[in-house]
Amino acid sequence: MAQKQALAEPSDPASPAAARVVPPLDPAYLERPRIASDVRVHRPSEEGQPWIIQRGTAGYFRVQPDLARLVQALDGTRDHRALVDLLGAPWTTADVAKALHTLAGARVLDDGAERPKRDRRLRFVPPLTVQFTVLRPERLLSRMSPLLARLANRGVAVAALVCALGGLLALALMAPALTAALGAPLPLAAYAGILGGVLATTAVHEFSHGALLTYYGGRPSRMGVMLFYLSPAFFCDVSDGWRLGRREQRVRVALAGIAAQAVVAGVAALSCLFLSASTLREAVLVFALASYVSGLVNLLPLVKLDGYIALMSHLDLPHLRDRSMTDGRRFLSRLLFGGRYVRELPELRWSVPYGLACLAFPLYLIGSAVALWAGLLQRIGEFGAAAVCAVLCYVGYRLWRGARRLVREARAAGAPLWRVALAGTLAAAAVAAALMLVSVPYRLSGGYVTGSDGRVELVLPTSADMGAVRAGEPVALYRAGVMTRSRSGSATVQDPHATSTTAPISAFTPVSGDLLSLPASGVRLRVDAAPADRTGAAVLDTGRRTLAVWCYDTYLAPVWRW
């Protein structure tokens, strides 16, 4: 389970990132302007730092001192002439009018509309993130400030580092036990304990972001849960960190959660040195490794995880990812369509490859999430299968929007229409050729069950493509664990005619015990090498199919296969 900081990156109010498409402001509100009720102006915490204009809990703008003075003067009693008199040279009425239109576009000015006192708890963040605010931790963390001050010392930091590194050494020393734990099914109670530990560690992770921000004088606005590219995750909004004067403070806030998570993982791994071989030790080993891996994933700077926020804070470049993706998109446009483009980040030589990686990585995340959840959703019925199709349709829509944006930028940069049409035709032809000519293995995943008479039966979900099952096709039998699996036997299909049956959950998931049975389709197997376990995972190899047929059979056909 991933953790993510919800961060609103500061902008210039005149930048496209700062403004949305909003109705024009009534001229009456521009004659004697006032700032909106949810707007605050923050002085720089250190000499030479920019002023910050905060709009609500999610809008932050870096501005120069002159513009900050103008915003502070907007109390609704002064017209443009009075503002010029107050601000003095070099301000003119034309400058004031231009600045006010910019501020209006950034929704900094009062437009007569009632602003919500609190932000919505449920938010959708494109392209595929849904956030739900559970807690507003500012008051709680403020009360904990004395404790935070006591913990912020070098001794605690050294102890934390020893725990984190010591845990890694403990996992290395216990490699055989760790390998066995990852490759064997565990009882349901063990998974419940691991899940509870992960949830508790995630809470510590998020509170660590907020705690360090509070220690430096900031205010975390909200914490909650979310679906991050179809994967469950947690977040802590540390947008107020942009008011911190020093970039190293913002980097520490970004990495605080990973550091806390590594300490918890280290303590868990070290405790295994004192536990005897048991299910408890296996569960703690799995939990420790999962916590370390989650911390490493959070260091990735390709999506808005902790690693990206730390990198952006270190470079002090707001919207680093978005601007790099713009450079990457423009590089592709120039390569495909021609034209002249201006780079967003010419000072960063690596912005183009970084931007291209940021464009591609979300597709990998979505593909991984679909591969992980599709089978489970399709097993629950027509609704689950339709949900998978809906997600894939949305992904296709986002890809279409991305392609349209690429073409629009190319045309705006002077790319000739004939070249755009030619590149689009070639791209469509390449996709069609891949769908029709590229063949991929088509496998059915399920489980096996050994009956009391010794016969082994292949069990598949009721949504499986039973028409693909033929006599004599090979079936690989596995012992599946929480993260790895090992080959435990082999068989072939003896009778392709399926019968309706039930199978223990241990045949479909790496859970030991037969606490629950699920409906399934059973197929008789001829065993070549008998597995030691009574139940386990099975994969039926039905040959190869073109990519188009594979996509249809895997994701579309299950909708009406029920």
Side-chain angles (χ1 to χ4, degrees), residues 337 407 411 414-423:
F337 312 123
V407 171
R411 292 292 292 155
L417 183 59
W418 68 266
R419 185 164 175 177
V420 172
L422 177 62

Side-chain angles (χ1 to χ4, degrees), residues 8-11 52-54 57-62 239-240 242-243:
E9 304 174 36
S11 309
I52 300 291
I53 296 177
Q54 178 184 351
T57 60
Y60 287 79
F61 309 113
R62 286 180 169 182
S239 301
D240 203 54
W242 288 110
R243 294 197 300 110

Side-chain angles (χ1 to χ4, degrees), residues 447-451 454-457 475-480 486-492 525-538:
Y448 72 87
V449 177
T450 304
R455 294 181 178 181
V456 180
E457 189 176 43
V475 179
L477 309 180
Y478 295 93
R479 188 184 198 208
S486 57
R487 185 77 173 261
S488 61
S490 60
T492 54
L525 294 180
R526 180 184 297 108
V527 177
D528 302 322
D533 299 327
R534 191 178 70 84
T535 62

